[in-house]
Amino acid sequence: MSLFLQNLVNALQWGSFYALIALGYSMVYSILMLFNFAHGDIFMVGAYIGVGVAAVLLAASAEGALALPPWAILVLTILLAMVLTSFVGMLVERIGYRPLRGAPRASAAITGLMIGIILETGNLALLGAQRIRFPSLIDTTVYEVAGVFITNTKIIIVVVALLLAAGMHFFVHKTKWGLAMRAMAFDYVAVPLMGVSVNGIAALTFALGSALAAAAGILYALAYPVLDPYMGIVFGWKAFVAAILGGRVSVMGATLAGFLLGFIEIFVAMIFPSTLRDLIAYSIVLLILIVRPHGFFGEPYSARLRL
Amino acid sequence: MLLSVENLRVSYDQIRALQGISFEIDEGEIVCIIGANGAGKSTTLLAISRMVPAEAGTRMTYMDKDLLQYSADKVVSQLAISHVPEGRRLFENLTVMENLRLACFARKDDGVRRDVDRVLSIFPRLAEREHQKAGTLSGGEQQMLAVGRAFVSGRRLMLLDEPSMGLAPLMMKGVFDALREINQEGTTILLVEQNAQLALQFAGRGYVLENGHMVLEGKSADLLADDGVKQAYLGG
């Protein structure tokens, strides 16, 4: 029983990363019918930006220029990295995708792959091949509850991920920008007739998705503090799987599917040798998709591509 | 003059849909463009709302401004030109109220609530279905919502693409009565219709579009009496 609960806790943490990355994938896909394959690399960029922001904040606080407790440095690091990474996302949209808005879907998809490679190798060129360590911002405390070990890091990761997902849900369903995003997800061609700028909403969507990916990057670095330029690739693929599994335009769907993926991976590894983890886990996902090809949630959309 | 269109040319994939048409509309008018399927009626409206690009040589002036300088969303938000497109293009995943609120997206004035209430009083059916998804409405109700959206988004000039399409006669009368009311409150209307009889009875003036050319224009009464128009568009 305690083994089960321990794995449940681990799965919640693991699923948090997938859920946050899947949200960005899902929103961009829903609104622009675009697979932003560079999104996993935005997660990586966010983690690296987090390293930079944390280093600056730590240095400032060591010099006494800034008297901040460790938790405040962590919160500031997450928020500032989210803001900075959202600009990276908007830049990717502006340079990589906007010029291709009328182009065939396949062109936009390979653009994503190319931007991903550019971000990975650009990072390599800029910072060199050695792995980079994320500074430790808070001391780890381990709590034992009924034989289950829970660290404060795990609690922070899961709580922050859930708060951000809830915030995103609120934004999409309660604000006028969210309303425009949902409208665009149904029929992006007709949206300008409502006085809504497609480019504006596209940029906003990339900004939000990238901010969430940055948060995921930093939370990941809290648990696994060694970063390398290729850390986003596999995460990106798997979060993409979660996004599709969740269904279109569903913040809840993408979040739940992200956690589900985390659960499947962790529990498969609990039963089978870990080398078989992804083989078995993704065979299960494939079976789920065969039964529910449109994912768990998701809204219908208009297939009319012009007026 | 509210809108003046000169030498409007539009092509789709090398095929010219509009061959340089010219027409104009005064403030407060109801003007219709009639013509057969494929004559270029919808394209004309799409060019005005900047949803399709006009070719070089085209001049479109709206309230002394060069319309070609505005993008599609700015045409709505800055020039108050609204467009009810072919097939209505409602956001069927959103409720009636959300569709109306979305149409007010760019508005910053404080008249939004009043205008939304006005739509609900013109079309009480929409008030009853306020929280229903637009996709669940009947055809007539969807047309009401499409007109209502145009009413709140900007309504100095309203472009209507086949508002009679697919409506039962009674429903059609309701929609056209409402449009007449909206016009009397100051909105200029440009309407394209295949149903020439209906359009000419509703509008004060009309243009006849054939294969991308304007072939005839005049007062509705004159067009209704014209032998050529009778033969081609009014069933003899």
Side-chain angles (χ1 to χ4, degrees), chain A residues 173-177 179-198 201 249 299-300 302 304-307, chain B residues 12-13 46 49 51 72-74 76-77 82-83 85-94 98-99 101-107 133 149 153:
Chain A
H173 288 276
K174 297 287 176 218
T175 69
K176 72 174 200 172
W177 297 279
L179 182 62
M181 288 164 81
R182 284 187 291 145
M184 231 167 116
F186 183 79
D187 185 349
Y188 69 89
V189 185
V191 152
L193 294 180
M194 301 294 105
V196 177
S197 155
V198 168
I201 300 298
V249 211
E299 293 184 347
S302 162
R304 292 177 291 187
L305 291 180
R306 61 194 263 183
L307 278 169
Chain B
Y12 294 115
D13 307 323
L46 290 169
S49 56
M51 294 295 287
D73 58 297
K74 299 282 193 303
V76 181
S77 60
S82 56
H83 183 170
E86 194 176 0
R88 304 174 192 119
R89 302 301 276 255
L90 297 177
F91 299 100
E92 296 177 13
N93 59 335
L94 304 181
E98 284 174 329
N99 268 277
R101 271 180 33 222
L102 181 71
C104 303
F105 183 85
R107 282 182 64 172
K133 294 250 154 116
R149 270 192 335 187
S153 67

Side-chain angles (χ1 to χ4, degrees), chain A residues 240-258:
Chain A
F240 179 48
V241 170
I244 300 299
L245 204 58
R248 298 180 81 258
V249 211
S250 177
V251 172
M252 206 160 60
T255 310
L256 288 179

Side-chain angles (χ1 to χ4, degrees), chain B residues 87-161:
Chain B
R88 304 174 192 119
R89 302 301 276 255
L90 297 177
F91 299 100
E92 296 177 13
N93 59 335
L94 304 181
T95 65
V96 168
M97 192 44 99
E98 284 174 329
N99 268 277
L100 290 173
R101 271 180 33 222
L102 181 71
C104 303
F105 183 85
R107 282 182 64 172
K108 291 180 179 70
D109 60 292
D110 50 12
V112 169
R113 153 132 287 161
R114 186 193 63 225
D115 286 350
V116 169
D117 287 345
R118 181 77 187 107
V119 168
L120 298 181
S121 75
I122 297 173
F123 299 117
R125 294 280 282 268
L126 294 182
E128 291 163 26
R129 286 161 175 63
E130 210 176 296
H131 301 295
Q132 219 166 298
K133 294 250 154 116
T136 65
L137 301 180
S138 73
E141 290 160 353
Q142 290 197 355
Q143 191 63 54
M144 293 172 186
L145 180 53
V147 171
R149 270 192 335 187
F151 182 84
V152 295
S153 67
R155 60 197 147 86
R156 188 173 282 272
L157 172 62
M158 206 183 267
L159 313 172
L160 300 166
D161 198 331

Side-chain angles (χ1 to χ4, degrees), chain B:
Chain B
M1 193 176 324
L2 185 66
L3 172 71
S4 143
V5 173
E6 283 170 80
N7 193 31
L8 171 59
R9 279 194 277 191
V10 176
S11 294
Y12 294 115
D13 307 323
Q14 320 283 324
I15 296 164
R16 189 160 274 165
L18 292 175
Q19 319 259 8
I21 64 170
S22 300
F23 61 95
E24 49 197 37
I25 305 169
D26 274 324
E27 182 110 49
E29 272 196 298
I30 300 179
V31 173
C32 70
I33 299 175
I34 58 173
N37 205 358
K41 303 188 300 295
S42 295
T43 304
T44 305
L45 297 190
L46 290 169
I48 296 171
S49 56
R50 305 287 291 124
M51 294 295 287
V52 298
E55 284 174 51
T58 299
R59 265 198 308 281
M60 291 199 279
T61 313
Y62 174 82
M63 293 172 64
D64 300 322
K65 295 187 183 87
D66 181 3
L67 194 54
L68 295 172
Q69 298 300 316
Y70 291 80
S71 62
D73 58 297
K74 299 282 193 303
V75 166
V76 181
S77 60
Q78 294 182 2
L79 302 180
I81 298 178
S82 56
H83 183 170
V84 178
E86 194 176 0
R88 304 174 192 119
R89 302 301 276 255
L90 297 177
F91 299 100
E92 296 177 13
N93 59 335
L94 304 181
T95 65
V96 168
M97 192 44 99
E98 284 174 329
N99 268 277
L100 290 173
R101 271 180 33 222
L102 181 71
C104 303
F105 183 85
R107 282 182 64 172
K108 291 180 179 70
D109 60 292
D110 50 12
V112 169
R113 153 132 287 161
R114 186 193 63 225
D115 286 350
V116 169
D117 287 345
R118 181 77 187 107
V119 168
L120 298 181
S121 75
I122 297 173
F123 299 117
R125 294 280 282 268
L126 294 182
E128 291 163 26
R129 286 161 175 63
E130 210 176 296
H131 301 295
Q132 219 166 298
K133 294 250 154 116
T136 65
L137 301 180
S138 73
E141 290 160 353
Q142 290 197 355
Q143 191 63 54
M144 293 172 186
L145 180 53
V147 171
R149 270 192 335 187
F151 182 84
V152 295
S153 67
R155 60 197 147 86
R156 188 173 282 272
L157 172 62
M158 206 183 267
L159 313 172
L160 300 166
D161 198 331
E162 307 257 4
S164 74
M165 178 93 86
L167 299 192
L170 199 62
M171 196 58 98
M172 199 149 77
K173 188 178 178 310
V175 169
F176 275 82
D177 286 347
L179 287 173
R180 173 89 57 198
E181 208 175 318
I182 289 168
N183 170 252
Q184 278 158 3
E185 288 172 22
T187 301
T188 307
I189 292 179
L190 173 62
L191 158 94
V192 307
E193 263 294 346
Q194 269 194 77
N195 186 338
Q197 181 84 38
L198 179 78
L200 290 170
Q201 279 168 358
F202 178 63
R205 280 193 312 122
Y207 291 85
V208 181
L209 192 60
E210 266 178 31
N211 298 321
H213 295 279
M214 280 300 190
V215 293
L216 205 61
E217 63 168 286
K219 289 210 167 71
S220 290
D222 297 339
L223 290 177
L224 280 166
D226 184 278
D227 284 339
V229 172
K230 270 190 196 163
Q231 203 146 40
Y233 301 106
L234 301 172

Side-chain angles (χ1 to χ4, degrees), chain A residues 40-56:
Chain A
D41 297 294
I42 296 286
F43 158 78
M44 175 274 292
V45 168
Y48 273 83
I49 288 178
V51 173
V53 172
V56 170

